[in-house]
Amino acid sequence: MDGRKARGEKKRRAIVEATLRVIEREGVAGVTHRSVAREAGVPTTAPTYYFATLDDLLIATLLWSADEICDDMLKIVASGGTAGEIARSLAQAVNENRGRTLAEYELYLLAGRRPELKPAARRWLDLAVELARPADPVAFRAFLAAIDGLLIQGLIADVAPNEDELEPIVSFLIRGRDDSTAVPREE
Amino acid sequence: MDGRKARGEKKRRAIVEATLRVIEREGVAGVTHRSVAREAGVPTTAPTYYFATLDDLLIATLLWSADEICDDMLKIVASGGTAGEIARSLAQAVNENRGRTLAEYELYLLAGRRPELKPAARRWLDLAVELARPADPVAFRAFLAAIDGLLIQGLIADVAPNEDELEPIVSFLIRGRDDSTAVPREE
DNA sequence: AAACTTATGGAACACTTGTTCAGGTAGTTG
DNA sequence: CAACTACCTGAACAAGTGTTCCATAAGTTT
């Protein structure tokens, strides 16, 4: 094992994390080699060294962000996956984690223009289907679509909705899915 | 009436339309004074002349795009507003008009970072509520959220969904709203 | 510890960007 | 038709961009 490579891997990840922070703060438009380097506290040319092109850096950030989204979802499912849990998570996403959510959607749209990124962007959707094994696929797809819509609309609301406002909507979507299996399967 | 001003107004609008075309093609990232000028067939400095800053140009484009979205929605409502009509519209948005839809969502997110743009970005939502006067506001909000979700998820699907795939989902969302006003499936 | 390899970073380059500005031009007015 | 004014634009500039390159430092192997 080469210690040099290990250190490199670490710095590489630090750069990706810094990129996500830059996007949270200034949007994808604010991502430049220099701004990322400043944020990560590495030399100006480090991002160029680790990522052939600026695009590659954004792609790596999207992939990493996609992983995090999946992790978050697993946590929600693990904690029961009730309407209340989901509503709390959504409320957090558009309030405390507003910047992060905004960043995730900017990266989401990036995938709209890069076919090779699509699988990563929608990984959480596939994972959700796999975990829930919905009895009524149509209702479940409506539910998943509404999640995205609630988040994105929460981002452009004058005051972002809180848990209590979201809960009835989420509840409606779950109930509508199939009354007999109101709660998603646990593991 | 000064003919000079009339001509200016026309050119101003041409620049905004060119901006939207650039966003469709290359994304917000591709918008520069020069790229817009090239697209509109006007001198390089014309965009700067008509819009104090590049931001102002994007803002004007968002406002114009918001108007168009509202127009489209009015058309759908005028044509009956059935699940089938809505599904056809959504299918068009993620297929024939894919670029346009992508552009609209990029501008949407722009509003997430510019509070003053939020009202314009969600105008179609307010208009929808006004037109529908929903009996069940919770269900209607779920429906509106799902619209956004279906579009954005359609943009990152490997193959965008067509009218027939969307119709059951839209239908489910409308039916859930209020069983007594369920729309009979045609075709 | 010497030889070797790989990671690293500062300086530099060519390029594009947003924006300024002074002059010219077209439409309006007396 | 001459004077005027408001609109418009081409050239130019300073600032910031992505990326290259090579000298150097750091780590590994012999």
Side-chain angles (χ1 to χ4, degrees), chain A residues 51-71:
Chain A
F51 301 91
T53 161
L54 199 72
D55 247 39
D56 286 346
L57 176 55
L58 282 174
I59 288 170
T61 308
L62 167 61
L63 296 177
W64 191 69
S65 155
D67 278 350
E68 292 239 311
I69 292 174
C70 285
D71 285 353

Side-chain angles (χ1 to χ4, degrees), chain B residues 10-160:
Chain B
K10 210 165 176 179
K11 199 182 278 191
R12 202 184 140 92
R13 201 166 54 235
I15 290 173
V16 170
E17 291 178 24
T19 304
L20 192 51
R21 283 199 302 275
V22 171
I23 301 179
E24 287 178 30
R25 204 183 331 116
E26 312 169 40
V28 172
V31 174
T32 69
H33 281 148
R34 285 166 174 82
S35 68
V36 168
R38 216 177 305 130
E39 174 71 32
V42 299
T44 310
T45 50
T48 318
Y49 176 73
Y50 288 100
F51 302 91
T53 161
L54 198 72
D55 248 38
D56 287 346
L57 176 54
L58 283 175
I59 289 170
T61 308
L62 167 61
L63 295 176
W64 190 68
S65 156
D67 278 349
E68 292 238 311
I69 292 174
C70 285
D71 285 354
D72 287 353
M73 206 176 58
L74 285 172
K75 264 184 223 141
I76 296 173
V77 171
S79 69
T82 63
E85 281 293 340
I86 295 169
R88 165 155 48 247
S89 239
L90 294 178
Q92 254 175 31
V94 294
N95 288 286
E96 300 95 299
N97 302 333
R98 185 167 196 287
R100 173 62 143 271
T101 306
L102 220 33
E104 284 167 358
Y105 275 104
E106 292 198 14
L107 290 170
Y108 219 57
L109 284 186
L110 198 69
R113 297 190 186 277
R114 313 279 158 89
E116 75 271 22
L117 293 180
K118 287 176 173 181
R122 60 165 187 270
R123 198 184 309 156
W124 75 272
L125 290 168
D126 300 334
L127 185 58
V129 171
E130 196 183 326
L131 289 174
R133 267 184 242 282
D136 181 347
V138 167
F140 195 68
R141 242 190 110 183
F143 168 72
L144 291 178
I147 298 272
D148 261 337
L150 287 173
L151 286 175
I152 213 168
Q153 287 172 16
L155 291 174
I156 61 164
D158 263 337
V159 347

